[in-house]
Amino acid sequence: MKNYISVREAAEKWGVSERRINQYCSEGRISGAQKIGKVWAVPADAEKPEDPRRTRQKGKSAQAEPAPDRLLNNINFMPLMNTAFVPGHCLEAAQAMAAGPQRDIALAEYHYFSGQPLAAAKEAEPYLTSPDMGARLSACLIYAYSNLSIGKIMRARFALGELNASLDDAGGQSPQFRAASAFVASAGAVLLHLPLPKEMPEGGRFLPMLPPGLRAFALYVQAHYLYLKEEYAHSAGIVEATLAMGAADYPIPAIYLHLVAVMDYMSLKLPERAREHLLTAWEIARPDDLIEGFGEHHGLLGAMLEAVIKPKWPEDFKRIIGITYRFSSGWRRVHNPLTGHDVADNLTTTEFAMAMLAARGWTNQEIAEHMHVSVNTVKSHISDAIRKLNVENRKELKKHMLQ
């Protein structure tokens, strides 16, 4: 009698994801696999299917590798992020793309970055299991972040798991697949302040394979990672160099690069430089309403939104804060259990912003001048934060703030 093992056991045996085993079975690539009800049974003595891309490569004579900038240009991998559109023409650029996965993923990107997570999740979902590598990885990244904002935490965790699984599966794959997998896995981890995957390759190994727009966003992720390590000057240096070398032509990566520069310069107590970067990001984002990043980064921007955006654009500020509350609620439900870091969830955005500055060593007078309020107002908000968090003093605030 033939012995069978489960999909999970086969995945562990061959070092791939369960999704990959299900895909092998569905494609008839595991001899003798049988479907029992809704699950697959895999023969215990079955051999791991060989990647067809590697098989094809064996029959080819050695060829020169394509120029790095072109390696990922012809796949449906975050196409809008990699488009140098003129601000004010973002949706137009997405709609002008080729019908099918490229346009669908681009529209999902547009809806996500413009603060419409429901639409983004709906557009990304059909591509979560797509055989198109670029579309699938893009869909997982968009789906994970969109579902954080709409409170669908299990769906977000599933998509984040798929990103890590893709990195696990990338070892024997093409350079394009490895570069794309490293990109989404690092973005999925760093931007949620989670530990990097154990098998994460060095940035220098996959960055050269990314086209300019995606490379710029990957460098934003690297700068964000350095910020988390409190290497603020190094992080800011990467941002400035990346923008100077052409990243400013790609609006979506440029917005995020400028935002991490705000984070760096506020941590370095250089508010005027931070203000310049925030206003530049706002000038790029506002014509297309690409406000999602401002809401995501609120707690890290050192009250700069309150000081700069709120007085002149109060309605936009309200919408950004709405994004902050939605995203932060979902983010904490993933971040806190995985890291053990109890980031505060019961402060107002103003209390949180002031507490962040206080935890970074800003005095009440400096906070008041920065936010254009009285010192007594600052004292009141920080006292409320201390009381809500049940801590004794300003120094203890830090353990409840974003890192």
Side-chain angles (χ1 to χ4, degrees):
M1 182 177 178
K2 201 172 187 69
N3 292 324
Y4 289 89
I5 58 177
S6 68
V7 167
R8 180 181 59 78
E9 290 170 325
E12 291 176 354
K13 178 180 177 182
W14 293 338
V16 299
S17 68
E18 293 181 32
R19 179 192 59 74
R20 179 72 66 202
I21 300 297
N22 281 315
Q23 183 179 348
Y24 287 156
C25 292
S26 299
E27 294 173 351
R29 294 172 60 194
I30 300 180
S31 178
Q34 295 187 22
K35 197 165 190 179
I36 303 173
K38 294 184 178 181
V39 299
W40 286 97
V42 179
D45 58 355
E47 295 185 4
K48 179 182 178 182
E50 189 169 2
D51 188 333
R53 287 167 292 191
R54 296 175 68 190
T55 303
R56 287 195 297 268
Q57 288 170 356
K58 287 179 182 178
K60 293 181 180 180
S61 59
Q63 298 178 7
E65 190 168 325
D69 280 359
R70 301 185 61 184
L71 282 174
L72 284 171
N73 278 347
N74 296 322
I75 65 171
N76 303 309
F77 185 53
M78 302 302 284
L80 190 61
M81 184 181 287
N82 193 47
T83 297
F85 59 83
V86 176
H89 297 272
C90 182
L91 181 57
E92 181 183 336
Q95 292 173 332
M97 293 184 184
Q102 186 178 72
R103 185 190 298 169
D104 293 344
I105 293 298
L107 287 171
E109 289 179 83
Y110 167 73
H111 286 124
Y112 178 75
F113 290 119
S114 61
Q116 303 176 67
L118 276 170
K122 184 177 180 180
E123 288 158 341
E125 189 168 20
Y127 292 97
L128 293 176
T129 56
S130 172
D132 182 314
M133 175 265 288
R136 184 176 76 247
L137 293 177
S138 301
C140 287
L141 186 61
I142 296 166
Y143 195 74
Y145 276 79
S146 296
N147 277 291
L148 286 178
S149 291
I150 58 182
K152 303 292 185 181
I153 306 305
M154 291 304 295
R155 295 180 184 180
R157 285 179 176 148
F158 161 78
L160 290 169
E162 288 294 285
L163 297 182
N164 288 333
S166 76
L167 187 60
D168 291 339
D169 292 349
Q173 306 290 347
S174 68
Q176 296 98 316
F177 188 93
R178 293 197 298 272
S181 297
F183 176 95
V184 294
S186 60
V190 172
L191 307 189
L192 294 179
H193 299 192
L194 300 175
L196 285 171
K198 291 181 180 178
E199 300 302 319
M200 189 68 207
E202 293 284 339
R205 290 170 55 191
F206 70 87
L207 280 172
M209 298 179 191
L210 300 175
L214 297 184
R215 191 183 305 144
F217 196 86
L219 285 165
Y220 150 75
V221 173
Q222 185 173 340
H224 197 129
Y225 178 65
L226 290 170
Y227 166 86
L228 296 177
K229 294 173 67 178
E230 300 185 8
E231 296 181 26
Y232 307 126
H234 187 182
S235 174
I238 286 178
V239 171
E240 302 286 11
T242 304
L243 289 168
M245 291 190 294
D249 293 336
Y250 296 86
I252 292 173
I255 291 167
Y256 279 74
L257 283 161
H258 284 295
L259 290 176
V260 82
V262 176
M263 293 153 46
D264 291 327
Y265 288 127
M266 288 303 293
S267 298
L268 293 168
K269 282 194 168 185
L270 296 170
E272 286 308 310
R273 295 189 71 174
R275 178 188 178 92
E276 291 172 9
H277 279 279
L278 183 71
L279 285 173
T280 302
W282 187 239
E283 288 171 6
I284 298 168
R286 194 162 180 252
D288 295 297
D289 204 32
L290 301 177
I291 63 172
E292 176 68 29
F294 294 83
E296 291 175 9
H297 290 75
H298 171 272
L300 301 170
L301 297 175
M304 190 57 75
L305 296 177
E306 284 80 0
V308 177
I309 303 300
K310 183 178 181 180
K312 191 171 181 180
W313 298 278
E315 293 305 312
D316 289 325
F317 176 78
K318 289 179 184 177
R319 291 192 302 124
I320 290 170
I321 294 304
I323 289 171
T324 299
Y325 279 124
R326 291 193 302 271
F327 183 83
S328 296
S329 175
W331 174 82
R332 288 184 181 94
R333 290 168 66 185
V334 171
H335 172 270
N336 286 5
L338 288 176
T339 64
H341 183 204
D342 189 22
V343 177
D345 64 357
N346 58 342
L347 303 184
T348 68
T349 53
T350 300
E351 289 168 349
F352 196 96
M354 290 188 179
M356 277 287 290
L357 291 173
R360 295 281 170 88
W362 286 54
T363 66
N364 288 346
Q365 183 65 43
E366 288 171 332
I367 297 171
E369 290 175 359
H370 171 56
M371 298 185 68
H372 311 299
V373 297
S374 70
V375 172
N376 285 337
T377 297
V378 174
K379 288 180 179 178
S380 177
H381 281 302
I382 292 179
S383 294
D384 287 342
I386 288 172
R387 175 180 52 79
K388 288 181 179 181
L389 296 174
N390 194 30
V391 297
E392 296 295 327
N393 51 53
R394 294 161 65 106
K395 288 185 179 180
E396 292 184 16
L397 284 174
K398 189 169 184 178
K399 64 183 179 182
H400 295 285
M401 298 293 104
L402 291 167
Q403 299 298 311

